[in-house]
Amino acid sequence: MEPIKVGLLGLGTVGSGTFKVLNRNQEEIRRRAGRGIEITRIAVRNVARARAIAGNAVEVGNDPFALVDDPALDIIVETVGGTGLARELVLRALRNGKHVVTANKALLALHGTEIFEAASASGVMVAFEAAVAGGIPIIKALREGLTANRIEWIAGIINGTTNFILSEMRERGVDFATALADAQRLGYAEADPTFDIEGVDAAHKVTIMSAIAFGVPMQFEHAYIEGISGLHAVDIKYAEELGYRIKLLGIARRAEQGIELRVHPTLIPSKRLLANVEGAMNAVLVHGDAVGATLYYGKGAGAEPTASAVVADLVDVTRLHTADPEHRVPHLAFQPDSLSSTPILPITEVHSGYYLRLRVADVTGVLADITKILAQGGISIDALLQKESHTVNQQGRPDGETDIILITHVTVEKNINAAITQIEALSTVVSTVVKLRMEALS
Ligand code: NDP
Ligand code: HSE
């Protein structure tokens, strides 16, 4: 059989990784897919640079629209990134009757509904394994491997850049800016790295996973997002002392009143496997009612790990190319007419344990005032750490201030917020309260 013809949009980190892996393993891939898979055309901005990577056997140009309109191509791989040009190209490719493989989580989290509808209307597939957790086949696991389960929750380290930064800071004492520059040099970071640092990239990914896990539409606009830029080194240190590690987690959880969809720095008990995922590695913990907890671990970013997922999608699409569209696995695991309207909960309705750090005047009764407020709010304390006062004022004398760190049992966020407002009003509390969420992951 003739090889299936692929057009590649973009030849950057992911595009060039895909080109390389597909060529290196082409014989194995052909045996698995049942026919060859050949990239015959590439579109980029810098044609000379792309020719140097791809050689002369492939047609290289700088008109991505001409590529998606090329009748000789069966599959378009989109590795351009962003949500403007990429959306136009993907929709045009689908309307032209071509299957699409994409690594673009931003595009799917924001425009997934429109894109999947366009694919269904044309009877073609959109495959996106590379969009979540790089080389880890988490989409396949959620959509197919765990399909018997009612999925209860997902918690994952799904951004390699931030996990790399947190690891470098904690293990090697590297400062934030240097660690970020290294992540960029290694090809982990997004074109705009604020997407990584501020938790937006992780929110794109957890939005996609929540849709597949719970059978709801993509609702990125309702996700709660907090990144790592506001995290203080002192909290990483205190967390360690209390037996926790701080990770940027993406969490999707079925609750009584709706779905929790959130990304934020989270304290995890340091004995948990997830707490020990370091560097650019990703890990996703999925809890299903039948299977219990399952854990998926691997490289979440970079050229070849991501290419591993893109090429797997190419093989899948090639195998199913001639299958009846009715018999393909639905894009979001659930049949499109069976999606539910379960709401995404606002962050104030989320249940969590909390880490609170307070700077207080080291005077009698301060702790009693604080614990009284928490008790009145129905919040119970799990652990408490009071640091000795070592800080000094401008004259070099002890300033009589100290840090108190409180760990609470699980409570609803609006209650903790109300208690913090009262605590900050105490004359003995000298700075704003630092609040971090905690997950036992048990
Ligand atoms: P890069 O910036 O490395 O590559 C982007 C490519 O797109 C470049 O080859 C660039 O061309 C091309 N491109 C950009 N604009 C145009 C245009 N107007 N016309 C033609 N070509 C264009 O990005 P990445 O490979 O890192 O990321 C690509 C996608 O994959 C993104 O959606 C990202 O979120 C996702 N992703 C990235 C991962 C990673 O580890 N990097 C992992 C998982 C997903 P030129 O080279 O000429 O500038
Ligand atoms: N910027 C992303 C990350 C790339 O750091 O995880 C992989 O999606």
Side-chain angles (χ1 to χ4, degrees):
M1 201 188 284
E2 275 277 289
I4 200 156
K5 300 276 190 291
V6 179
L8 180 57
L9 293 166
L11 197 67
T13 303
V14 180
S16 61
T18 300
F19 187 81
K20 214 163 144 189
V21 171
L22 197 54
N23 281 314
R24 190 173 68 227
N25 298 339
Q26 59 177 296
E27 184 46 27
E28 294 266 310
I29 289 163
R30 188 193 59 73
R31 286 167 55 211
R32 290 191 170 118
R35 63 193 284 196
I37 301 176
E38 228 175 70
I39 294 174
T40 56
R41 187 165 177 172
I42 296 173
V44 289
R45 284 174 301 203
N46 184 338
V47 171
R49 187 182 152 274
R51 282 231 174 85
I53 298 170
N56 293 326
V58 182
E59 187 181 343
V60 180
N62 60 4
D63 184 351
F65 289 97
L67 185 146
V68 297
D69 288 343
D70 184 344
L73 300 174
D74 305 297
I75 308 175
I76 304 298
V77 177
E78 184 276 308
T79 69
V80 166
T83 53
L85 175 67
R87 173 177 161 272
E88 277 185 69
L89 291 168
V90 163
L91 288 173
R92 185 140 146 189
L94 295 171
R95 286 175 188 139
N96 284 342
K98 297 178 194 308
H99 306 292
V100 169
V101 174
T102 179
N104 193 334
K105 52 269 169 161
L107 179 67
L108 295 176
L110 270 68
H111 302 293
T113 304
E114 181 187 25
I115 286 169
F116 296 134
E117 275 172 13
S120 299
S122 298
V124 291
M125 290 169 269
V126 179
F128 52 95
E129 185 62 70
V132 181
I136 306 174
I138 186 65
I139 299 296
K140 192 107 179 155
L142 285 171
R143 197 163 54 186
E144 297 173 48
L146 298 175
T147 201
N149 288 264
R150 179 181 155 90
I151 293 175
E152 307 289 359
W153 53 264
I154 299 173
I157 295 171
I158 45 179
N159 182 268
T161 302
T162 44
N163 204 50
F164 178 83
I165 293 172
L166 291 175
S167 296
E168 291 286 283
M169 287 172 73
R170 195 184 57 79
E171 285 178 352
R172 304 204 300 125
V174 174
D175 65 81
F176 189 98
T178 308
L180 171 60
D182 285 347
Q184 288 178 291
R185 187 175 43 77
L186 291 163
Y188 303 149
E190 294 302 301
D192 177 356
T194 55
F195 272 42
D196 297 294
I197 295 158
E198 298 305 342
V200 177
D201 176 72
H204 289 146
K205 293 166 179 167
V206 76
T207 296
I208 296 171
M209 289 198 289
S210 70
I212 297 174
F214 306 131
V216 294
M218 302 277 188
Q219 293 173 79
F220 173 72
E221 67 281 12
H222 296 309
Y224 174 79
I225 311 174
E226 195 181 309
I228 63 165
S229 62
L231 201 56
H232 300 277
V234 69
D235 294 309
I236 298 176
K237 187 166 96 40
Y238 288 161
E240 291 265 355
E241 284 180 37
L242 287 158
Y244 295 87
R245 231 165 242 182
I246 300 181
K247 294 285 180 189
L248 185 73
L249 286 195
I251 298 171
R253 176 181 280 134
R254 229 186 253 278
E256 258 174 49
Q257 308 295 327
I259 291 168
E260 296 181 3
L261 185 60
R262 48 193 170 107
V263 171
H264 47 72
T266 313
L267 275 81
I268 314 172
S270 40
K271 62 180 185 235
R272 295 270 178 262
L273 286 171
L274 221 53
N276 294 283
V277 172
E278 301 294 358
M281 302 305 278
N282 279 196
V284 185
L285 194 52
V286 183
H287 196 279
D289 68 336
V291 72
T294 56
L295 179 66
Y296 308 83
Y297 171 82
K299 288 188 178 158
E304 293 211 7
T306 312
S308 165
V310 173
V311 175
D313 275 348
L314 280 171
V315 171
D316 256 4
V317 171
T318 303
R319 285 173 177 151
L320 292 168
H321 176 53
T322 51
D324 178 353
E326 292 289 308
H327 297 133
R328 292 182 189 140
V329 181
H331 289 113
L332 293 179
F334 291 73
Q335 298 298 337
D337 58 1
S338 300
L339 296 188
S340 106
S341 56
T342 314
I344 305 294
L345 295 174
I347 192 67
T348 45
E349 296 300 328
V350 155
H351 284 75
S352 174
Y354 294 88
Y355 161 105
L356 305 178
R357 173 166 60 84
L358 302 81
R359 185 99 190 129
V360 299
D362 197 4
V363 294
T364 315
V366 59
L367 198 54
D369 291 341
I370 293 163
T371 52
K372 189 171 156 205
I373 290 172
L374 290 171
Q376 282 167 347
I379 300 159
S380 74
I381 297 170
D382 185 28
L384 190 147
L385 182 67
Q386 178 163 3
K387 304 304 290 182
E388 280 174 48
S389 175
H390 291 304
T391 53
V392 291
N393 62 18
Q394 281 174 339
Q395 287 73 45
R397 296 195 196 94
D399 62 5
E401 291 177 7
T402 186
D403 282 342
I404 290 178
I405 297 98
L406 293 157
I407 302 279
T408 77
H409 284 292
V410 171
T411 188
V412 66
E413 179 130 346
K414 62 186 172 198
N415 287 359
I416 205 86
N417 289 347
I420 289 173
T421 305
Q422 290 182 57
I423 289 170
E424 286 177 343
L426 293 172
S427 60
T428 44
V429 174
V430 297
S431 70
T432 51
V433 174
V434 171
K435 174 185 81 182
L436 292 168
R437 298 172 191 85
M438 310 179 57
E439 290 292 328
L441 302 179
S442 50

